[in-house]
Amino acid sequence: MSSHLTQLASRLENIAPFHVMELAKMAAELERQGRHIIHMGIGEPDFTAAPSVQAAASQAMADGKMQYTSATGLPELRAAIALHYRDKYGVEVAPSRIIITAGASGALLLACAALIEKGAEVLMSDPSYPCNRHFVAAFDGKSKLIACGPEHRFQLSADMVQENWGEKTCGVLLASPSNPTGTSIKEDELRRIVEVVREKRGFTIVDEIYHGLRYDAAPFSALSLGDDVIVINSFSKYFNMTGWRLGWLVVPEALVPPIEKLAQNLFICPSSLAQHAGLACFEPAAMAVYEERKAEFKRRRDYIVPALEGLGFKVPVMPDGAFYVYADCSALSDDADQLTIAMLNEAGVVMVPGLDFGPSTARQYIRVSYATSMENLQEAIARLQIFFAKRR
């Protein structure tokens, strides 16, 4: 019996492999061989959901609350998120504008499905999270990556948006704080970007999934810049619920019916169990836990940045959010990819080369995740001191 491989869709050619995951596979193989590996690669909190959130999930399961919900999510959860915006950010958001999704990835999928025509162009910073541009590619759109160096905090500016807007440009996709850099867009600059895009009659999507983890500034959400700004958020990072696959999308009222129609067809609904657990995230007991963990992330950042600089890395922009440092390794190696492979094999430390995040920083930067214990961070630095001493 002969096998026949169906011809694959051409859009797959526009979606690159994720090198972060390739390094993770290499690390897993070394662990199978008995090596102790310190993981500072994948962006996943080393904490899990707060105890009260886990208890809420158990109670929901015991109560049999596992049926389909509305495609837009539990009304109570949408209301809780709206209250969160009011209390934390001073922004009034109607619960009807909030759509619960299967993680931030589900939110981006829905937004791109609703807004991107074939051949349309979306402006993004280089460096940026690779999956964001792949969501655009999945709907036959094109990402225009704009090189944003440390002098711009690795973020787009209003002038860049103005200069790079073309006939086929339909909008911008921003991330603040950003993966891989941990840097945020300053409030005034973000306001100017929104004004430029509004003039062009395009859309502004702001990925705020690391927004709860901002360390050096007062809380500020892009939602305060107007009802036309689309914001994506997630329970994965600040709320430490990565595998629960729960997020949300805030859209203008006019976009709710088309997004709901897409959600009904593509997802039916997000995980009902995760939604019932997510309700407990906004209770005082859980919020206290998350704020303690945020303080711990800041403590780790304040340790790891000078420690990396002591090894010979340069950190040109202090990350003010998330749990990443984007470090310039050009004084240590002319190839970040080869350096990260050597650090893994010889020191047992996983870090990620800039290769995934765009061409402008691919060879000279690495992303360091400090979403691991302080003990692991200190051990990693000790190993790397030995590693670099041998190379000198």
Side-chain angles (χ1 to χ4, degrees), residues 96-333:
S96 58
R97 293 177 52 208
I98 298 168
I99 295 162
I100 311 301
T101 60
S105 296
L108 269 167
L109 185 77
L110 290 169
C112 289
L115 295 169
I116 294 172
E117 294 277 13
K118 183 175 182 179
E121 182 181 80
V122 180
L123 305 184
M124 295 184 203
S125 64
D126 172 5
S128 60
Y129 182 56
C131 296
N132 287 0
R133 60 183 183 267
H134 295 153
F135 281 116
V136 173
F139 293 97
D140 298 318
K142 295 179 180 178
S143 300
K144 183 174 183 179
L145 294 180
I146 301 165
C148 301
E151 68 277 12
H152 298 289
R153 300 176 53 76
F154 303 110
Q155 293 279 8
L156 287 179
S157 68
D159 288 345
M160 290 176 183
V161 173
Q162 184 74 51
E163 290 162 12
N164 287 276
W165 197 279
E167 285 183 15
K168 294 187 175 180
T169 309
C170 61
V172 298
L173 175 48
L174 312 169
S176 183
S178 158
N179 176 5
T181 67
T183 64
S184 302
I185 305 173
K186 298 292 187 185
E187 183 178 339
D188 288 349
E189 194 62 46
L190 185 55
R191 180 175 283 103
R192 283 192 286 270
I193 292 172
V194 169
E195 287 169 357
V196 169
V197 176
R198 198 174 277 145
E199 273 178 28
K200 306 284 189 184
R201 302 183 68 80
F203 61 75
T204 302
I205 299 175
V206 185
D207 172 349
E208 291 187 347
I209 71 170
Y210 294 99
H211 214 257
L213 298 173
R214 286 193 71 183
Y215 309 117
D216 305 323
F220 163 76
S221 172
L223 289 172
S224 66
L225 300 177
D227 291 355
D228 55 340
V229 177
I230 297 166
V231 161
I232 284 162
N233 212 319
S234 171
F235 286 82
S236 290
K237 310 301 180 177
Y238 175 74
F239 296 110
N240 312 148
M241 294 171 68
T242 49
W244 299 65
R245 308 316 303 132
L246 194 63
W248 72 86
L249 177 65
V250 186
V251 299
E253 287 284 4
L255 265 181
V256 173
I259 294 277
E260 182 174 12
K261 177 173 68 173
L262 286 165
Q264 288 168 341
N265 283 279
L266 295 177
F267 295 103
I268 299 180
C269 72
S271 161
S272 56
L273 189 60
Q275 290 186 69
H276 285 286
L279 274 167
C281 287
F282 301 100
E283 294 172 359
M287 291 301 289
V289 170
Y290 293 129
E291 285 299 300
E292 284 176 18
R293 292 174 178 179
K294 176 182 174 178
E296 173 61 15
F297 278 129
K298 182 179 186 294
R299 189 172 78 96
R300 295 173 187 178
R301 180 201 65 171
D302 293 345
Y303 165 76
I304 199 66
V305 170
L308 289 167
E309 291 175 328
L311 293 173
F313 291 97
K314 293 175 187 169
V315 182
V317 187
M318 175 63 113
D320 61 293
F323 32 66
Y324 305 113
V325 183
Y326 211 46
D328 182 343
C329 64
S330 54
L332 299 166
S333 171

Side-chain angles (χ1 to χ4, degrees), residues 48-59 244 277:
T48 188
S52 59
V53 176
Q54 295 183 46
S58 297
Q59 189 62 52
W244 299 65

Side-chain angles (χ1 to χ4, degrees), residues 5-16:
L5 180 65
T6 302
Q7 186 173 345
L8 296 172
S10 60
R11 68 175 63 88
L12 285 171
E13 295 169 12
N14 299 318
I15 298 177

